[in-house]
Each structure stands twice: as C-alpha cells, then as structure tokens.
Amino acid sequence: MNGQPASTGVGLRPMTDADAAAVLAIYQAGLDGGDASFETVAPTWAAFDAGKLPGHRLVAVDGRAAGRGAGGGVLLGWVAVCPVSARPVYAGVVEHSVYVSPGARGRGVGRLLLAGLIASTEAAGIWTIQAGVFPENTASLAVHRAAGFRTVGVRERLGRHAARGDRWRDVVLIERRSPHAG
Ligand SMILES: CC(C)(COP(=O)(O)OP(=O)(O)OC[C@H]1O[C@@H](n2cnc3c(N)ncnc32)[C@H](O)[C@@H]1OP(=O)(O)O)[C@@H](O)C(=O)NCCC(=O)NCCS
C-alpha cells in the first residue's frame, strides 16, 4: 500500500497482470454507465497493457477483505495513463483513465486514486495530466476539480457515441499542471 486511506481499510498498490480480470470488469461497468467514455466495450488485457504506461498503474483495494484479490484485497478501482504523443516535446504529457467499481463510489476511492496518480507522475517528472470528460459526468468533473484539475475548454460535438443513440457529444478537456515543471 502506498496511498492514504480513503475510508477505513482502503489503500493503493501497483496494478499487476493478476489484476487483469478485475480491472477490466470495473472498466466495463464504467462504460456500461454511458458517461465515462465513447468506448462501449473494455479492451482486452493485451490491448490495455500495450497502451498504458507501466509506471503509473494503481489499484485501490479494500484491505479488510485481504486475500480475495490479486496481491490481497478486493479491487475497488484503478487509474492508469497513456502517452498523448510519441513526440519528445510531449514526453511529460499523459492522458489518464480512472474507474471505480459502482458499489464503491462516493467513498473517496476516486480521490485516493487521483492522489496516488499525481504522486506517481510528479515523481517521474510528468508535467501535465489530461483527460476528456463528458459534461454530463458530474461526478468525474467534481472529483477532478477537487484533485486540482482545471477545465481547459469544451470541445463541441467531438465524437459520435454509439451507446447514446449515436449522437454527437461534447467533451470537456481537463488538465492538471505540475507546479514543479516549466
Ligand atoms: C468518476 C469516479 C471515478 C469518481 O470516483 P468516486 O470514488 O465515486 O469519487 P470520490 O468518492 O472519491 O469523490 C471525490 C469527490 O468528488 C465529488 N463527487 C464524487 N461523486 C460525485 C457525484 N456523484 N456528484 C457530485 N460530486 C461528486 C465530491 O466532491 C467528492 O468529494 P467529497 O467526498 O468531499 O464530497 C466514479 O464515479 C466512476 O468510476 N465513474 C464511472 C467511470 C468514469 O466516469 N470515470 C471517469 C471518466 S472521465
């Protein structure tokens, strides 16, 4: 565990391959809600693993149920990042995803995951974390605002969402800029 408890017994640890099934199940549950992403189906573990930077993958676990999940504890949520570009000038800019199991939301798990991600990326010299959030995803906007993210702007009708009647949807671009860089 390397995070502060969100509620009694909850902590963070690095994600491992053994977490794959639980991570993807939480991912799919978030997608099923319809306001987390344009995606409708969680990727395979191979695709997830290939796309996410290995050094900044964390899971939140309920330590009170230790032993029931990979590495101990039931998985409550996860956070991971991918690079936004292969260009060296953007080496310190990442885009993150954060997903909390439906039954564990509203307990500070998302806040804990974002705090862990920020600590991890700060330690690695990453200067910007960004994400696109649907305006309707008020929980995500709130938890990110509380974690120090700001709204850059609203990208209007950025993509068509198959899971929401194939309609065009706006995306709020948010970012957290490291106070220690540039
Ligand atoms: C967005 C998400 C990660 C938030 O995680 P969470 O564990 O429920 O959030 P937390 O309990 O840590 O909440 C932290 C803060 O966010 C705000 N917040 C959380 N849920 C909220 C809600 N439904 N409405 C309004 N504010 C909310 C509160 O300010 C809260 O602070 P408080 O506890 O002091 O009141 C979670 O709802 C989720 O997994 N959603 C589905 C997937 C998704 O949308 N991911 C983000 C894609 S951009």
Side-chain angles (χ1 to χ4, degrees):
M1 307 278 176
N2 58 5
Q4 296 302 309
S7 55
T8 308
V10 179
L12 301 180
R13 64 167 172 78
M15 187 188 296
T16 73
D17 288 349
D19 297 318
V23 165
L24 296 182
I26 291 170
Y27 201 165
Q28 187 62 54
L31 297 181
D32 289 344
D35 281 333
S37 168
F38 281 113
E39 304 301 324
T40 55
V41 179
T44 62
W45 180 251
F48 183 99
D49 192 35
K52 307 297 187 192
L53 293 177
H56 308 286
R57 305 178 188 182
L58 297 168
V59 292
V61 293
D62 186 344
R64 291 168 299 187
R68 286 165 52 193
V74 169
L75 255 68
L76 303 178
W78 58 268
V79 67
V81 305
C82 55
V84 300
S85 170
R87 294 176 62 189
V89 71
Y90 293 128
V93 184
V94 296
E95 182 155 344
H96 77 292
S97 301
V98 58
Y99 284 74
V100 172
S101 180
R105 292 179 193 159
R107 289 170 45 190
V109 175
R111 181 192 294 270
L112 179 67
L113 285 163
L114 289 176
L117 175 66
I118 289 167
S120 174
T121 54
E122 285 286 339
I126 287 171
W127 56 82
T128 294
I129 310 170
Q130 69 179 44
V133 183
F134 290 129
E136 297 85 355
N137 196 345
T138 51
S140 182
L141 290 171
V143 72
H144 283 98
R145 195 175 305 118
F149 285 72
R150 75 178 184 100
T151 295
V152 178
V154 179
R155 309 186 71 189
E156 295 180 4
R157 298 167 66 76
L158 186 63
R160 284 171 69 166
H161 199 177
R164 280 288 188 264
D166 203 22
R167 67 181 169 91
W168 293 92
R169 296 190 73 174
D170 294 353
V171 173
V172 182
L173 178 60
I174 61 170
E175 71 171 19
R176 181 200 182 262
R177 170 92 185 153
S178 169
H180 306 296

